Amino acid sequence: MGDGGAGSAPIQHPAREQSPSRRLPDFLQSVNLKYVKLGYHYLITHLLTLLLIPLMAMILVEAGRSDIRQLWLHLQYNLVSVVVCSTFLVFGTTVYIMTRPRPVYLVDYACYRPPESLQVPYEKFMGHSRLCGEFNDASLEFQRKVLERSGLGQETYLPEALHALPPRPTMAHAREEAQQVMFGALDALFRNTGIKPRDISILVVNCSLFNPTPSMSAMVVNHYKLRSNIKSFNLGGMGCSAGVISIDLARDLLQAHRNSYAVVVSAENITQNWYLGNRKSMLIPNCLFRVGGAAVLLSNRSADRRRSKYRLVHVVRTHRGADDKAFQCVYQEQDDDGKVGVSLSKDLMAIAGGALKTNITTLGPLVLPVSEQLLFFATLVAKKLFNAKIKPYIPDFKLAFDHFCIHAGGRAVIDELEKNLQLLPVHVEPSRMTLHRFGNTSSSSIWYELAYIEAKGRIRRGHKVWQIAFGSGFKCNSAVWQSLRNVKPSPNSPWEDCIDRYPVQLVDGIPSSQLQN
């Protein structure tokens, strides 16, 4: 018996040659099926247009046959009817223009880039964890394993207070971190857009775990000397999806206030929220969360459309807080030794999947082409009527969106969404590379991901971007943007000096370069 290598002569078995399982795939049939599906999508998407073209042709032909002069004479003798119809037409047009939602434009945004001195490679992270004396051997080994499989690279950042030995998680250092992140992002935003701070009418700041008095929004007002009648809001405790919530709040405010600018600042604070205990479920955030923040400028001024990057199309928010398991799956609490940290439940991925399902059920009809909605409805009806064991049809969101910004909460989150939404590696590349370069920067991560796509030069006029984030509570929130032009990266992009090194190849969350070493 040979091993079937290249040097052994193959034995012919006529019966096996006829076996369908041994044949090569019918590539011609596969190609034909692909074009059948493409043709189906095109037909359904443009069905209304294809039906209206012959109808309009018939109307034009009939209008050509009629006597236009007789129609004009008829209208002259029915002046009252013409005036009434014209009045209703003008009135209806005016009401529509006055009450329609104002478009909200994203003029520009900026992501904070910490100084290189705050980088924390694996070796430095583990060395400081060991020397601070708060972790036992089992906890240190657990953190090492999580860190190596997390998808984070060697260049992520921790605040200055955590680089000290022992760490200095004081209120003063937490304020310093907040100021560095927020003011760093805002300075870049004002510099890139030319907007003066006193032009801002609306300010929304979100930070989940750090809520000082005065608030972080008050810190921004004080630093930039914003106008006294500014409408400022500070959102706390809303987790990693609070960035989309802030966009939603700013959009609603822009609908009520004409010709206004709104600034959204998304950040997180690590200094006072570093867990110094030994409960494993509370150690995971130490390995994932890193310093980062973003500032976004929104406008409802029609004059800003020409210079804006995107238009906000949809915001869909899902809240599962009524369910106790969902409410407690990301929970800030004290361990048995009284040390405060954020505990992550083992049910987190299942709960996130349920929240995602609810969110895309609402979002799908708003963004999916009719062809995909019909396929989904047909499989649902077949399953209900015939009680058949038919798998529910997963809509192809690649037909609705050109780019995906999935919250870089961790490798498992990205893996699950890639699998469940049937995405390609290129679609989750921005999320994986953001996690690798900057770590989990909480609510600002979706902006680092969008900056990555822009730095790669992938966004063209009319492209749609889906930002999706998960947060404690438990929440799943989506924002949909449409590009108004071919978008180029803004000056001082966080990827400006490193985009040529990406994407890096990852094997089980570990960069391939590290495996070779």
Side-chain angles (χ1 to χ4, degrees):
M1 295 185 292
D3 59 4
S8 59
I11 301 174
Q12 301 295 328
H13 296 282
R16 290 186 182 179
E17 291 179 0
Q18 302 302 320
S19 174
S21 62
R22 303 285 292 182
R23 294 175 184 169
L24 289 173
D26 190 344
F27 294 110
L28 181 60
Q29 184 178 1
S30 300
V31 171
N32 288 339
L33 288 174
K34 174 184 176 181
Y35 282 106
V36 166
K37 187 173 182 180
L38 288 174
Y40 162 75
H41 284 302
Y42 183 86
L43 176 63
I44 297 300
T45 303
H46 299 87
L47 183 61
L48 185 60
T49 303
L50 295 174
L51 292 176
L52 283 176
I53 288 175
L55 180 62
M56 291 299 296
M58 291 173 61
I59 293 174
L60 290 174
V61 170
E62 290 298 323
R65 292 177 179 176
S66 63
D67 192 340
I68 302 299
R69 187 171 180 277
Q70 290 293 330
L71 179 61
W72 171 249
L73 291 174
H74 177 73
L75 290 175
Q76 280 184 317
Y77 291 106
N78 290 273
L79 184 60
V80 175
S81 300
V82 173
V83 171
V84 171
C85 291
S86 300
T87 302
F88 273 107
L89 181 63
V90 172
F91 177 76
T93 304
T94 304
V95 170
Y96 170 75
I97 293 174
M98 295 296 292
T99 60
R100 67 174 179 171
R102 298 183 181 89
V104 173
Y105 304 112
L106 192 162
V107 180
D108 205 348
Y109 65 97
C111 298
Y112 174 64
R113 173 78 176 266
E116 305 303 310
S117 60
L118 297 184
Q119 286 185 354
V120 54
Y122 295 175
E123 184 178 351
K124 186 174 183 179
F125 179 93
M126 293 306 304
H128 274 63
S129 297
R130 189 177 298 107
L131 291 173
C132 76
E134 299 289 343
F135 305 109
N136 58 36
D137 291 341
S139 296
L140 289 169
E141 179 62 17
F142 177 75
Q143 290 183 82
R144 184 188 65 79
K145 289 181 178 179
V146 171
L147 189 64
E148 289 180 350
R149 302 294 173 180
S150 63
L152 274 69
Q154 300 280 1
E155 299 177 291
T156 59
Y157 306 90
L158 283 178
E160 187 175 350
L162 298 183
H163 283 264
L165 283 174
R168 294 177 291 185
T170 65
M171 173 64 77
H173 285 95
R175 285 185 184 275
E176 287 181 9
E177 180 193 347
Q179 291 170 357
Q180 289 171 1
V181 172
M182 293 193 302
F183 301 162
L186 284 167
D187 286 346
L189 180 68
F190 291 140
R191 186 166 55 249
N192 292 344
T193 60
I195 296 296
K196 296 179 181 179
R198 293 190 64 84
D199 293 334
I200 305 303
S201 304
I202 299 163
L203 173 66
V204 183
V205 178
N206 68 267
C207 181
S208 187
L209 294 174
F210 183 58
N211 293 285
T213 299
S215 67
M216 292 177 66
S217 61
M219 292 165 63
V220 174
V221 173
N222 175 259
H223 180 78
Y224 291 99
K225 309 305 178 187
L226 303 184
R227 59 172 67 174
S228 60
N229 64 343
I230 190 167
K231 296 159 185 66
S232 64
F233 299 85
N234 197 96
L235 306 183
M238 305 194 78
C240 299
S241 67
V244 178
I245 297 173
S246 298
I247 293 293
D248 189 30
L249 175 58
R251 178 192 64 171
D252 290 345
L253 291 166
L254 286 171
Q255 293 302 318
H257 301 279
R258 289 180 173 274
N259 298 320
S260 298
Y261 286 116
V263 166
V264 171
V265 181
S266 295
E268 194 50 83
N269 195 285
I270 301 174
T271 297
Q272 282 195 313
N273 297 284
W274 195 256
Y275 176 61
L276 295 172
N278 293 290
R279 185 187 292 182
K280 290 183 177 180
S281 63
M282 300 169 76
L283 284 169
I284 297 175
N286 284 9
C287 303
L288 297 178
F289 282 90
R290 295 293 185 266
V291 172
V296 184
L297 177 64
L298 303 175
S299 173
N300 60 10
R301 303 185 182 195
S302 56
D304 284 322
R305 177 186 173 88
R306 293 185 62 183
R307 68 169 184 149
S308 296
K309 288 185 172 183
Y310 306 95
R311 178 177 64 87
L312 182 60
V313 182
H314 301 292
V315 176
V316 174
R317 294 167 54 183
T318 302
H319 205 306
R320 299 292 300 275
D323 179 75
D324 290 341
K325 285 187 176 180
F327 176 72
Q328 296 175 358
C329 71
V330 180
Y331 204 80
Q332 188 179 26
E333 59 183 344
Q334 291 179 316
D335 65 10
D336 296 336
D337 297 322
K339 296 179 178 179
V340 178
V342 176
S343 176
L344 303 182
S345 168
K346 294 180 179 179
D347 300 324
L348 176 59
M349 293 309 303
I351 292 168
L356 173 66
K357 180 180 178 182
T358 305
N359 190 271
I360 63 177
T361 300
T362 305
L363 180 66
L366 300 175
V367 298
L368 286 169
V370 178
S371 55
E372 284 296 289
Q373 296 188 47
L374 287 176
L375 286 174
F376 177 80
F377 180 73
T379 56
L380 184 65
V381 170
K383 188 176 180 65
K384 292 291 184 182
L385 292 182
F386 305 107
N387 198 23
K389 294 182 179 179
I390 302 174
K391 291 183 179 180
Y393 179 72
I394 300 176
D396 188 357
F397 280 90
K398 298 188 293 295
L399 295 173
F401 303 111
D402 302 282
H403 309 284
F404 298 79
C405 296
I406 301 167
H407 167 53
R411 188 167 60 90
V413 174
I414 302 171
D415 288 345
E416 284 298 313
L417 265 71
E418 179 182 16
K419 176 183 176 182
N420 292 333
L421 296 178
Q422 299 179 353
L423 302 179
L424 300 175
V426 68
H427 295 133
V428 295
E429 180 185 310
S431 302
R432 294 195 190 281
M433 298 306 106
T434 295
L435 183 65
H436 178 271
R437 178 62 184 84
F438 296 100
N440 180 350
T441 60
S442 190
S443 56
S444 66
S445 70
I446 53 178
W447 298 107
Y448 287 87
E449 293 162 16
L450 186 57
Y452 178 90
I453 303 171
E454 291 180 1
K456 285 293 185 181
R458 296 174 180 174
I459 297 184
R460 296 289 180 266
R461 181 184 178 90
H463 279 190
K464 287 187 177 179
V465 181
W466 182 14
Q467 291 180 321
I468 182 166
F470 301 89
S472 58
F474 189 84
K475 299 178 286 292
C476 176
N477 299 319
S478 294
V480 179
W481 305 88
Q482 185 171 32
S483 61
L484 299 175
R485 52 187 167 89
N486 295 346
V487 179
K488 297 180 180 179
S490 301
N492 301 311
S493 164
W495 300 93
E496 194 170 54
D497 64 345
C498 62
I499 191 62
D500 293 336
R501 295 192 277 118
Y502 286 89
V504 298
Q505 296 298 319
L506 301 175
V507 179
D508 195 22
I510 305 174
S512 56
S513 59
Q514 295 181 29
L515 292 176
Q516 294 171 0
N517 294 334

